[in-house]
Amino acid sequence: MQQYRNMPDTAVNGPVASDAKSGSGGGAPSRHGIVNAMSVDVEDYFQVSAFADQITRSDWDDHSCRVERNSDAIMQMFADHNVRATFFTLGWVAERYPQLIRRMVEAGHELASHGYEHTRVHHQTEGEFRADVRKTKAILEDVGGCAVTGYRAASFSIDERTPWAFDVLAGEGHAYSSSVYPINHDLYGMPAAPRFAFTPSKNHDLLEIPVTTWTLGKKKFPCGGGGYFRLLPYSYSRWAMRRVNRKDGEPCMFYFHPWEIDPEQPRVPGASAKSNFRHYTNLGRMESRLRTVLKDFSWDRVDQVFLDRHRRAA
């Protein structure tokens, strides 16, 4: 079993303190006493939506996988900064790399679902989505040996077209989702959604935790990681997240992908200029930026940051 340097011993799936004074987050506690949520969408470079026209799912096994080595590097980075995070993981990945999943859990990270094979919710019927959610949850729980209560849709694809998705997730035993990005975007977005954690239905207590945005007037701007974190100067993300912590008094939901720390990954031929720009820009700078953001803010798992807060407020 791989050991991660400097990570304190912890019981498998044991409680992780979310208090800023506990030392569970990286770097110094926030000046505003807020611990933010760190998350990773565990998928490989050939599984992203941007390359769906070039690489079909039937061809995935023909590509060299780099998700294990990149995820291990991320876990070592988290260990170096004493950070626990949530790994939203594809069932496809868990089936092929069960030891990676077990290392995540043994290191004290939260294991959560990213669906089986990165199919957008609005490309599925309600029945197909339910089957996908059920299948992935069963795979992850079997491999990880722990309960899986969190879910993130591929490409943040829960929106106005799929209001039934929240009911399906609750019915299948999920306590929360982080599947909404409340911005305008050409590939995803639900701009009318609340900026911060909310319960989308009166039928259940499922919590939806959107990716973080900040506002200027009535317009929302992204600041929760992903491509924006790579493409824009780090000073923008740091300023915006501090603004959310200070002005709104809310924790940030931050995310990124294992392939984003891998500048040596194979190039996908035939992709559009826009897809190439979005996917490959600043890959070589990403790890350094992540190490900086881990020091500049306090971090913990999604369930520890948001579910505990939600239950206390209920």
Side-chain angles (χ1 to χ4, degrees):
M1 181 184 72
Q2 179 164 341
Q3 299 294 323
Y4 299 100
R5 300 187 306 275
N6 302 329
M7 180 62 81
D9 293 337
T10 190
V12 176
N13 302 321
V16 179
S18 60
D19 190 298
K21 297 179 181 179
S22 72
S24 63
S30 165
R31 286 176 297 170
H32 312 289
I34 290 178
V35 179
N36 302 286
M38 175 60 66
S39 66
V40 183
D41 290 0
V42 183
E43 61 199 53
D44 222 325
Y45 67 95
F46 53 83
Q47 298 172 317
V48 301
S49 295
F51 297 146
D53 291 338
Q54 286 71 45
I55 304 174
T56 64
R57 285 171 176 79
S58 61
D59 292 334
W60 281 2
D61 282 314
D62 296 333
H63 291 266
S64 59
C65 289
R66 301 170 71 86
V67 68
E68 183 175 31
R69 64 182 291 275
N70 291 333
S71 296
D72 276 329
I74 288 167
M75 283 192 282
Q76 183 56 63
M77 182 166 46
F78 287 160
D80 292 343
H81 295 275
N82 193 24
V83 166
R84 317 286 186 184
T86 293
F87 286 80
F88 292 99
T89 306
L90 292 182
W92 188 96
V93 171
E95 284 183 330
R96 287 157 179 79
Y97 300 99
Q99 293 304 321
L100 170 64
I101 305 309
R102 294 179 186 122
R103 289 195 295 274
M104 290 175 183
V105 175
E106 288 165 0
H109 302 297
E110 181 192 10
L111 179 62
S113 173
H114 198 31
Y116 182 73
E117 55 181 7
H118 212 255
T119 303
R120 299 184 199 184
V121 178
H122 52 257
H123 289 172
Q124 303 174 78
T125 65
E126 183 173 346
E128 290 169 339
F129 178 65
R130 179 178 289 105
D132 185 272
V133 168
R134 183 176 298 173
K135 175 182 179 179
T136 307
K137 192 174 191 292
I139 290 170
L140 294 174
E141 291 183 339
D142 180 61
V143 172
C146 60
V148 169
T149 61
Y151 176 87
R152 174 170 287 158
S155 301
F156 304 105
S157 53
I158 293 182
D159 57 25
E160 293 89 348
R161 292 169 289 183
T162 56
W164 41 261
F166 297 116
D167 295 330
V168 171
L169 290 172
E172 293 300 320
H174 286 282
Y176 76 87
S177 161
S178 180
S179 303
V180 168
Y181 212 148
I183 61 170
N184 282 302
H185 191 279
D186 60 339
L187 296 178
Y188 54 76
M190 192 175 178
R195 291 174 57 214
F196 302 115
F198 65 99
T199 50
S201 173
K202 296 179 180 179
N203 299 327
H204 47 72
D205 198 36
L206 181 98
L207 187 68
E208 171 59 35
I209 310 165
V211 180
T212 299
T213 57
W214 67 279
T215 57
L216 181 61
K218 295 183 178 180
K219 188 170 179 58
K220 300 172 186 174
F221 297 89
C223 64
Y228 297 102
F229 184 75
R230 274 189 299 112
L231 296 171
L232 300 175
Y234 173 69
S235 57
Y236 164 81
S237 293
R238 179 177 58 197
W239 172 84
M241 288 191 291
R242 284 178 174 171
R243 176 188 172 99
V244 171
N245 286 167
R246 180 185 68 249
K247 182 178 178 181
D248 299 300
E250 293 283 347
C252 294
M253 169 65 86
F254 187 94
Y255 82 101
F256 67 102
H257 307 86
W259 55 262
E260 290 187 277
I261 67 162
D262 185 10
E264 304 304 320
Q265 65 188 264
R267 266 35 180 184
V268 175
S272 68
K274 179 189 287 188
S275 293
N276 282 327
F277 175 76
R278 286 175 170 174
H279 189 88
Y280 296 116
T281 299
N282 288 337
L283 293 180
R285 298 180 179 181
M286 187 64 168
E287 182 171 349
S288 175
R289 288 187 179 184
L290 286 169
R291 289 187 178 276
T292 301
V293 82
L294 290 173
K295 290 187 295 184
D296 283 348
F297 296 86
S298 287
W299 301 100
D300 208 338
R301 302 164 22 150
V302 175
D303 59 346
Q304 296 292 327
V305 172
F306 287 100
L307 283 188
D308 287 355
R309 195 168 186 255
H310 176 60
R311 288 162 181 158
R312 288 195 301 269

